[in-house]
Amino acid sequence: MKKPGNILIVDDNRSVLTAVQLLLKPHFEKIITLTSPVTLTSVLREETPSVVLLDMNFTSGINTGNEGLFWLQEIKRLRPSLPVVLFTAYGDIDLAVRGIKEGATDFIVKPWDNQKLVETLLNAAQAIHNKNNGKSASPVTPAMYWGESPIMQQLRSLVEKVAITNANILITGENGTGKEMLAREIHALSSRRTKEMVAVDMGAITESLFESELFGHTKGSFTDAYADRPGKFETADHSTLFLDEIGNLPYHLQAKLLTVLQRRSIVRVGSNQPIAVDIRLICATNRNLNEMVQRNEFREDLLYRINTIHLEIPPLRERPEDILPLAERFTTRFCKQYDKALLRLSDAACTKLKTHPWYGNIRELEHAIEKAVIICDGNELPAELFQLPKRPETSRTGSDTGTEAATLEEMERKMIQKALDTCNGNLSAVAAQLGITRQTLYNKMKKFGL
């Protein structure tokens, strides 16, 4: 019998992961394990599991199951049809019913019965396998919030025109403006929407694995290459390939990407056989690629290749009429997520949110609302809950130490920002200056919205 596919297991107990992995090895083609759900969403954008086994509690001393329900919602947001089996040591029937109401396929109690666990997971995986084989996948529901501002309505009109074509698209905009969400909206409106969009974070791929990750490899082509593996281009065949942070791609690797885009075929590492690929390419960056071309940091011919259509997402401060509607959407979502009665924004809070410059854009607004919802004790969100920091100004004279940072995180953010300005955005130089790896730097930049 053919194995039904891949399984993703998320549990903070390494002993449990090992035991379940050994139990399921004969039944699934690939088993992916995570000891923390923090990277869950990024894994789901790169992998295509047939079923997820999700633990309910990850924070020591907290056994409410709310963490599991939150990550269940995140999985369903990204992959509405993906079966999720909840995994908990607490046989709470009410929690089980609630989880199933919110989209879980089934519920397993620890300590588990081996046969029941295997049967439950195989049935869930087989059900989605049969469903996908029986009919085409349903179109993805667009999740983009366009708002009412004229500049966003103009962008929407352009997106609706180009989405139905196969033209390559470059999305630019500041951090936190929603470039990946726009890419997913374009994919959802395209003729390729019956297949999942494949997203690749170019800043997170190490140079040594660039070709393997994008173009795939053959068995034995390098150490630990135990089997043939398709790359992102093959995975995105007849779908959309989204290359995020394209401006972070080192110059010497840009030629390899250009060659593939020109030939529309890839060659796996360790092979000489070209494989044709049919992809729709969308790239995104917060950097000025034209200036990078002038500094010989980005290939001009590659820029022309990826930039058939250019879409610029305006920063939130340029569309203030969208701030409060977005804030209300986030408030509703987080009240539901954290099991709170629906809160409303006070008049003073509305005024404060509307006048803040939001240099971190939608992401900063989202985090501000989430924090306020968590700590709010009343039935409305007062202005006092929104401690909105001013954007750290980089001193050109080195005299910015007069204001002491309130937290270690703020100090770290300032140090990284200063290094970025000093090194003109060269991430390798910034990482070397700070004494950290490029990957660590990139993770911190994402965390701080830099």
Side-chain angles (χ1 to χ4, degrees):
M1 178 180 174
K2 188 180 185 300
K3 295 180 181 180
N6 305 337
I7 181 170
L8 171 61
I9 307 171
V10 190
D11 196 302
D12 60 342
N13 189 319
R14 294 183 183 274
S15 298
V16 169
L17 283 180
T18 301
V20 175
Q21 191 172 14
L22 290 172
L23 176 64
L24 298 178
K25 189 173 183 180
H27 303 285
F28 288 88
E29 292 180 6
K30 182 178 180 181
I31 299 175
I32 309 155
T33 60
L34 294 176
T35 55
S36 167
V38 173
T39 58
L40 178 57
T41 53
S42 61
V43 169
L44 285 178
R45 290 187 177 108
E46 297 182 0
E47 301 287 353
T48 54
S50 302
V51 62
V52 176
L53 180 59
L54 176 68
D55 193 19
M56 297 295 289
N57 298 292
F58 297 94
T59 302
S60 178
I62 299 178
N63 302 314
T64 63
N66 284 338
E67 289 178 295
L69 293 176
F70 166 70
W71 289 109
L72 169 64
Q73 292 172 357
E74 289 298 293
I75 293 171
K76 288 299 177 181
R77 181 175 63 83
L78 289 173
R79 302 275 187 87
S81 62
L82 178 60
V84 179
V85 175
L86 301 179
F87 206 22
T88 180
Y90 302 91
D92 189 331
I93 300 302
D94 292 338
L95 184 62
V97 171
R98 183 177 166 197
I100 291 173
K101 283 182 177 179
E102 294 189 16
T105 302
D106 211 333
F107 194 83
I108 296 291
V109 179
K110 302 175 187 175
W112 64 90
D113 176 86
N114 285 350
Q115 183 176 354
K116 178 175 174 55
L117 177 63
V118 171
E119 287 179 355
T120 299
L121 294 171
L122 287 178
N123 287 339
Q126 195 62 46
I128 191 66
H129 176 74
N130 293 340
K131 181 178 179 182
N132 288 341
N133 284 346
K135 61 181 180 179
S136 297
S138 301
V140 179
T141 302
M144 186 80 181
Y145 176 72
W146 291 105
E148 300 299 328
S149 61
I151 191 170
M152 286 300 290
Q153 290 306 311
Q154 291 174 8
L155 178 62
R156 181 177 189 172
S157 176
L158 180 56
V159 165
E160 290 172 348
K161 291 177 182 177
V162 303
I164 58 176
T165 73
N166 283 319
N168 293 339
I169 294 176
L170 175 64
I171 303 173
T172 58
E174 296 178 3
N175 278 330
T177 50
K179 294 186 287 296
E180 182 171 347
M181 183 172 287
L182 179 56
R184 293 189 179 279
E185 173 79 353
I186 294 168
H187 175 71
L189 296 173
S190 75
S191 60
R192 298 170 181 261
R193 61 184 175 273
T194 54
K195 287 193 66 177
E196 289 263 359
M197 183 183 88
V198 177
V200 184
D201 191 334
M202 301 300 284
I205 297 180
T206 61
E207 294 184 17
S208 59
L209 294 178
F210 171 80
E211 290 185 80
S212 174
E213 285 294 316
L214 265 64
F215 313 141
H217 62 253
T218 59
K219 180 179 179 180
S221 56
F222 55 85
T223 304
D224 295 332
Y226 299 119
D228 290 354
R229 180 177 180 272
K232 302 304 183 185
F233 271 84
E234 280 185 81
T235 305
D237 192 33
H238 296 293
S239 185
T240 301
L241 179 63
F242 175 57
L243 302 183
D244 198 7
E245 306 295 353
I246 188 70
N248 291 338
L249 182 62
Y251 192 87
H252 64 280
L253 296 178
Q254 293 172 20
K256 296 180 179 181
L257 176 60
L258 178 64
T259 299
V260 169
L261 296 178
Q262 289 174 332
R263 296 177 179 175
R264 292 287 165 170
S265 67
I266 58 94
V267 177
R268 290 182 178 182
V269 176
S271 171
N272 293 317
Q273 182 66 40
I275 301 173
V277 289
D278 174 14
I279 59 120
R280 199 275 179 80
L281 182 69
I282 303 178
C283 298
T285 184
N286 63 348
R287 306 180 70 179
N288 189 321
L289 297 186
N290 287 304
E291 289 184 359
M292 292 180 67
V293 168
Q294 296 300 317
R295 298 195 300 266
N296 292 321
E297 295 174 357
F298 200 88
R299 293 181 62 106
E300 188 173 19
D301 46 4
L302 178 59
L303 177 58
Y304 291 144
R305 178 66 62 174
I306 66 176
N307 192 21
T308 304
I309 301 293
H310 178 205
L311 302 176
E312 173 80 20
I313 304 182
L316 189 56
R317 60 186 174 276
E318 292 183 7
R319 44 188 178 114
E321 56 267 74
D322 293 338
I323 293 174
L324 291 186
L326 280 167
E328 290 169 356
R329 288 166 65 93
F330 292 142
T331 300
T332 301
R333 187 217 296 175
F334 290 123
C335 285
K336 181 179 178 182
Q337 177 180 315
Y338 293 112
D339 251 350
K340 292 198 170 190
L342 185 60
L343 301 170
R344 61 176 294 272
L345 290 160
S346 70
D347 292 341
C350 289
T351 300
K352 190 170 187 176
L353 295 180
K354 286 176 66 176
T355 55
H356 185 67
W358 299 112
Y359 291 112
N361 292 293
I362 297 174
R363 186 183 298 135
E364 182 186 359
L365 174 61
E366 182 180 16
H367 290 172
I369 296 293
E370 180 178 15
K371 179 181 177 181
V373 168
I374 290 172
I375 63 179
C376 181
D377 293 323
N379 57 7
E380 72 171 12
L381 300 173
E384 294 73 27
L385 290 183
F386 296 96
Q387 301 298 320
L388 304 175
K390 299 296 182 183
R391 190 178 198 183
E393 293 185 3
T394 303
S395 171
R396 298 184 182 277
T397 62
S399 59
D400 59 341
T401 57
T403 303
E404 185 176 348
T407 65
L408 287 173
E409 282 196 352
E410 189 176 341
M411 293 174 64
E412 187 175 35
R413 186 187 190 284
K414 286 185 175 181
M415 185 178 294
I416 293 173
Q417 181 66 66
K418 186 173 182 179
L420 284 168
D421 292 338
T422 302
C423 300
N424 295 318
N426 186 321
L427 298 190
S428 297
V430 171
Q433 179 176 318
L434 296 175
I436 57 178
T437 65
R438 183 186 173 99
Q439 180 62 55
T440 299
L441 170 64
Y442 187 73
N443 291 340
K444 290 183 181 295
M445 289 175 62
K446 296 270 280 192
K447 173 183 177 182
F448 296 129
L450 297 174

